[in-house]
Amino acid sequence: MKSLLCLGTWLLIFSGSLLADDRPNIVFFFTDDQTISTLGCYGNEIVHTPNIDRLAQQGTRFENAFVSQAICWVSRTTILTGQVGRSYGTPSDPESTRADVAQTLYSDLLRANGYRTGYFGKWHAKMPQGYRPQDHFDDFEAIGRNPFYKKQPDGSLRHETEVIVDRGIEFIKSQPEGKPFALNMWFNACHAEDSDRRPGIGHFPWPRAVDGMYDDVTIPAPRLSDPAIFDALPDFLQTTINRERFFWRWNTDLKYQTNMRAYYRMVSGIDGAIGRFQKALEEAGLADNTIIVYSADNGYYMGNRGLAGKWSHYDNALRVPLIISDPRVSAEHKGQTTSAIALNVDLTPTFLSWAGVEIPATYQGHSLAPIVGDETPADWRTNSFHEHFAVRSRIPAFEGVRSDRFKYARYFDHGGKEFLHDLKSDPDELRNLADDPQHQETLKELRAQTDEYVKAYGGELDPLKHFAPSTVPHPEASAEVGARIDKDGFVSVFDGKSLRGWTGDDAYWSVEDGALTGVTDGSLKMNRFITWKDSTIRNFDLRVKVKVTAGGNSGIQYRGTSRPDLGLDIVTGYQCDVVANIPEYNGMLYEEKGRRILSHTGEKVIIDSEGQPWVIEKMPVQTFAPDEWHDYRVLVEGNHHQHWIDGVKTADLIDLDESGRALEGVLAVQVHVGPAMKIQYKDFKIKHLPDDLPILQPEDHPIPDGAYGVRPQGRLPKDWKAPVYTRP
């Protein structure tokens, strides 16, 4: 089979031609969860990536670069070991690296041949117990996410992308003269912060240097977003983690726009950091002999096919950017593109070939050096093997072959379901030809090729014991996906023991006596928030016990918006006020940094289409003593908001202002500027109601003549009188 032929003869010739002082430096930038559609040089006209684009202009851009398996740790371990997952693992435990394979990484071979090696960033390789990755590099620092923002010695926060490149710059500044180096900077970006599902800065945190980028841009919808594409998938693909995470990220237009802008900022943040590194490389006098490689560990669906994540056989998941900029190549090879099939397993032999190091017989890829500097060898592969078995109990496993014309995949844990796509006539892989009589010979041929790869790479995996779907395809309440629900339909949002699941400044927030507790000494200049990270909320029934000290002021923020422009913990949006000693404010409906007071306590209100709130009815107002526990309830259905304290309704509002209202957002609570105070919340739970509850319409809820305007916040003229509504 052509694709399994070794290029050893050429490599020995190439390696033997290199003298020690000819050997180039190697810099490898490796991103997480990035598809080619998010880079300017691959055709994206919105995202700003001038430094990466410049690498493509000076080097080689691969149009058909793929990973053997589209998941973080398998892809990364494949590069470290030179073997695909099925080969470095075992049939019973394919995700873990065998000790004999892990003993020697490509970095060890480079070190043994005179290279200084550095590694900074995401590790995430499943190595044997007790494994010390730092023993395999001259300089090593694992820099992970969660959180992305790293506290610095001076107390400031710095994004992991920036920290990784900081370490890379320190590495080259300390580089001994005349000694070649190989430097890995493996980013966590653009991976989502899965434990933080606040849209934008929570789920896709970006370096603050790119704050505000893309705020004025509308990102086009996913190209493959037609619901019929999702509906055509088999059940086991509709109910997997790919669909579960779709509801974390992409399932509403607002969430999609917010998260895509944030994702693009992460990309631009990487690009800016690369530019900073390149400048340092030039200042060190190393640029002319340093090869720079840019790639990603897997592709990313980004809402295409109704999916998130990257785990399946489609090109959305398998295709990755790959750019190699070698300053030594001739002018005719600068700025070229190639359609040659490249794999992540090729990167390791490529690095070794540049260094003049013999490539081990166990390596399964081929050096890309001839493609970059000369021309694609005549016997270059014409097909590639792909598979997925990681998290096999929740992600459907497959194996198959991709050629320049056809792709074959079989999901061996799911009845052997087969796919056959004609990539020429159907590049989006929307038609499955596996049952087409006219393609049975092709199907038979690709089955046999897959069998051959499986046998050569380690054989069949042990049978799967159990598979657990992650979600229903179309949940009634998307916020419920993945949540633990009690017998009454509620989700606990605070465990009474820790701040797990919440994010905020621990200078103000802690757990005290089993309660979420906020404290301020009266010196606050801005309200400070703590936000629930597990889900956005749309329609819901919220219950919580609240206790606030005399003179205290807090609020339950809901359907809120994170405001990193004001502070990482700041939230704006609707708020059920918690105010001691002022009955007309306690339990009222307020809008932080927006339309402000929407209804005082005891006012039944309709907000008109222009954003003006009108009092249509008065309700009794009661006083609730401070320093005692009270039951608060917030019920939001569509655009109808209702609040209660101890069963007494304090707010009832219909929001007809389409441009001003919010239908989804985050849940938070606050400590307020003003007097010193303590606010406590316990028995905090929420019931997520169906997403598609009706939006109340103006014709069904007319504002009556004689309704008067809600008194606005702030100092008003002494002669101020509330406007009176008269029907147009």
Side-chain angles (χ1 to χ4, degrees):
M1 180 188 303
K2 269 189 178 181
S3 57
L4 291 177
L5 290 176
C6 179
L7 299 181
T9 301
W10 182 89
L11 291 172
L12 287 173
I13 294 171
F14 182 81
S15 299
S17 70
L18 286 172
L19 300 174
D21 55 5
D22 291 330
R23 294 184 298 175
N25 306 310
I26 303 165
V27 172
F28 181 23
F29 292 111
F30 200 35
T31 67
D32 200 318
D33 285 359
Q34 187 175 25
T35 176
I36 63 171
S37 66
T38 61
L39 290 171
C41 57
Y42 278 96
N44 188 308
E45 297 180 353
I46 295 175
V47 72
H48 188 65
T49 53
N51 296 299
I52 298 170
D53 297 347
R54 195 172 302 116
L55 290 176
Q57 292 163 5
Q58 297 169 349
T60 299
R61 178 170 63 83
F62 288 77
E63 296 179 333
N64 289 307
F66 303 95
V67 294
S68 58
Q69 184 163 177
I71 196 166
C72 306
W73 64 86
V74 178
S75 182
R76 290 164 186 266
T77 307
T78 289
I79 292 171
L80 292 167
T81 66
Q83 297 184 28
V84 300
R86 190 177 295 247
S87 298
Y88 72 65
T90 63
S92 61
D93 185 13
E95 293 189 41
S96 299
T97 312
R98 298 195 320 272
D100 61 302
V101 178
Q103 183 176 0
T104 304
L105 306 182
Y106 79 87
S107 55
D108 296 308
L109 298 175
L110 290 175
R111 292 172 77 189
N113 284 272
Y115 268 72
R116 178 179 177 230
T117 60
Y119 186 105
F120 306 106
K122 179 173 179 174
W123 179 246
H124 202 194
K126 295 189 177 183
M127 294 299 187
Q129 187 172 4
Y131 193 82
R132 289 170 49 87
Q134 60 268 35
D135 293 342
H136 299 266
F137 298 87
D138 293 298
D139 287 298
F140 177 90
E141 183 180 351
I143 303 170
R145 56 182 175 86
N146 193 17
F148 268 96
Y149 299 110
K150 311 298 183 186
K151 186 165 285 190
Q152 303 302 296
D154 63 359
S156 64
L157 297 176
R158 193 157 176 79
H159 194 274
E160 64 88 25
T161 294
E162 300 288 359
V163 173
I164 289 168
V165 171
D166 291 346
R167 300 293 185 270
I169 291 173
E170 292 166 7
F171 179 89
I172 61 171
K173 284 183 176 180
S174 62
Q175 177 65 21
E177 186 175 352
K179 186 178 182 69
F181 67 83
L183 173 59
N184 300 272
M185 285 174 277
W186 289 20
F187 302 113
N188 293 271
C190 303
H191 200 294
E193 187 57 272
D194 291 331
S195 64
D196 189 339
R197 296 163 202 168
R198 297 173 298 149
I201 197 72
H203 205 48
F204 290 107
W206 59 82
R208 303 309 301 276
V210 292
D211 277 358
M213 285 186 73
Y214 312 113
D215 277 349
D216 59 348
V217 175
T218 299
I219 312 296
R223 195 170 58 82
L224 303 180
S225 59
D226 186 337
I229 297 174
F230 174 78
D231 292 339
L233 296 174
D235 176 73
F236 60 83
L237 291 181
Q238 290 190 356
T239 57
T240 188
I241 300 176
N242 272 327
R243 184 60 170 177
E244 176 185 1
R245 295 189 178 185
F246 174 80
F247 297 106
W248 299 0
R249 298 172 191 159
W250 316 119
N251 66 309
T252 67
D253 289 342
L254 178 60
K255 195 183 295 182
Y256 175 81
Q257 291 296 328
T258 301
N259 280 332
M260 282 297 296
R261 291 178 184 126
Y263 182 97
Y264 279 8
R265 290 185 201 111
M266 293 181 95
V267 175
S268 291
I270 291 170
D271 183 86
I274 288 175
R276 186 162 57 89
F277 179 84
Q278 288 179 288
K279 182 179 179 181
L281 196 67
E282 291 168 359
E283 291 174 349
L286 297 168
D288 290 343
N289 195 40
T290 298
I291 302 170
I292 297 179
V293 178
Y294 182 95
S295 194
D297 60 3
N298 47 249
Y300 210 41
Y301 279 104
M302 308 193 80
N304 281 294
R305 304 182 191 276
L307 303 175
K310 58 268 185 176
W311 313 284
S312 66
H313 73 278
Y314 294 106
D315 274 5
N316 307 88
L318 297 172
R319 191 189 298 271
V320 292
L322 176 58
I323 300 165
I324 298 178
S325 180
D326 185 344
R328 306 169 306 160
V329 304
S330 61
E332 64 187 284
H333 293 295
K334 294 182 184 293
Q336 67 182 358
T337 61
T338 176
S339 61
I341 298 173
L343 294 171
N344 56 345
V345 76
D346 295 331
L347 291 174
T348 309
T350 303
F351 299 156
L352 296 184
S353 69
W354 284 330
V357 177
E358 184 176 353
I359 298 170
T362 57
Y363 279 23
Q364 295 164 330
H366 311 311
S367 174
L368 301 169
I371 298 174
V372 173
D374 189 5
E375 61 183 22
T376 304
D379 61 350
W380 192 255
R381 69 167 63 90
T382 57
N383 63 31
S384 53
F385 176 71
H386 303 277
E387 62 183 348
H388 202 291
F389 51 69
V391 198
R392 190 174 163 198
S393 64
R394 294 191 64 202
I395 299 175
F398 80 91
E399 57 199 13
V401 172
R402 187 191 194 284
S403 71
D404 59 352
R405 173 70 188 273
F406 290 101
K407 181 191 285 185
Y408 168 77
R410 62 189 180 210
Y411 286 82
F412 48 84
D413 291 332
H414 300 272
K417 174 69 175 179
E418 293 181 304
F419 286 84
L420 179 66
H421 302 293
D422 185 336
L423 301 175
K424 295 298 184 185
S425 64
D426 177 29
D428 291 327
E429 304 168 271
L430 299 179
R431 296 188 299 275
N432 184 5
L433 303 174
D435 295 328
D436 187 338
Q438 296 183 9
H439 290 85
Q440 292 309 296
E441 283 302 314
T442 300
L443 187 70
K444 183 178 178 180
E445 178 184 346
L446 295 181
R447 275 186 195 144
Q449 289 184 15
T450 300
D451 292 341
E452 187 176 345
Y453 273 113
V454 168
K455 182 179 179 180
Y457 283 166
E460 295 182 3
L461 305 183
D462 288 358
L464 178 67
K465 294 179 181 179
H466 177 68
F467 183 83
S470 298
T471 182
V472 296
H474 302 284
E476 284 192 355
S478 55
E480 258 186 10
V481 171
R484 294 184 178 180
I485 303 167
D486 70 16
K487 61 182 178 60
D488 298 316
F490 283 87
V491 176
S492 174
V493 301
F494 171 61
D495 64 13
K497 302 174 183 178
S498 69
L499 296 180
R500 181 178 179 181
W502 292 81
T503 181
D505 192 330
D506 58 13
Y508 307 105
W509 295 99
S510 64
V511 177
E512 186 177 314
D513 300 325
L516 180 61
T517 302
V519 176
T520 175
D521 62 5
S523 62
L524 277 184
K525 304 300 182 184
M526 181 184 292
N527 302 341
R528 313 306 303 195
F529 297 79
I530 188 167
T531 307
W532 189 45
K533 299 190 298 181
D534 281 7
S535 175
T536 54
I537 57 175
R538 188 173 176 88
N539 299 315
F540 61 89
D541 187 351
L542 181 150
R543 314 289 179 92
V544 62
K545 294 184 183 297
V546 184
K547 183 166 70 172
V548 62
T549 54
N553 190 344
S554 180
I556 304 166
Q557 203 86 12
Y558 61 89
R559 287 186 178 173
T561 300
S562 297
R563 292 291 301 275
D565 54 318
L566 303 175
L568 279 176
D569 67 330
I570 304 302
V571 177
T572 61
Y574 294 117
Q575 179 176 291
C576 173
D577 267 26
V578 177
V579 182
N581 302 340
I582 308 178
E584 63 268 29
Y585 287 172
N586 200 11
M588 75 175 183
L589 182 51
Y590 185 78
E591 191 174 64
E592 188 92 13
K593 301 291 183 185
R595 295 169 295 180
R596 309 186 82 178
I597 294 177
L598 300 181
S599 72
H600 295 92
T601 303
E603 295 176 339
K604 190 171 184 179
V605 168
I606 295 177
I607 303 177
D608 67 22
S609 60
E610 303 300 318
Q612 169 65 47
W614 299 97
V615 180
I616 63 170
E617 187 180 319
K618 292 286 287 183
M619 301 178 293
V621 176
Q622 292 191 21
T623 299
F624 302 96
D627 293 305
E628 295 180 5
W629 289 104
H630 298 283
D631 292 318
Y632 278 67
R633 181 187 182 195
V634 179
L635 176 64
V636 181
E637 301 168 294
N639 56 341
H640 188 195
H641 302 244
Q642 299 175 84
H643 302 170
W644 291 264
I645 303 176
D646 293 341
V648 177
K649 183 175 280 189
T650 60
D652 189 328
L653 178 142
I654 297 172
D655 193 346
L656 302 176
D657 178 11
E658 291 187 32
S659 61
R661 70 189 179 205
L663 297 178
E664 184 175 14
V666 300
L667 171 66
V669 293
Q670 67 168 228
V671 288
H672 206 279
V673 297
M677 62 162 288
K678 177 190 285 189
I679 178 69
Q680 293 186 288
Y681 295 90
K682 69 177 184 180
D683 299 340
F684 214 150
K685 59 185 181 180
I686 190 168
K687 179 186 288 186
H688 298 294
L689 304 177
D691 291 346
D692 60 355
L693 293 180
I695 300 297
L696 303 181
Q697 300 299 318
E699 56 268 26
D700 299 319
H701 297 274
I703 301 169
D705 287 339
Y708 59 91
V710 170
R711 181 182 178 89
Q713 187 171 3
R715 196 178 294 253
L716 299 174
K718 291 183 179 180
D719 60 349
W720 181 86
K721 292 183 179 180
V724 177
Y725 182 84
T726 55
R727 196 167 303 171

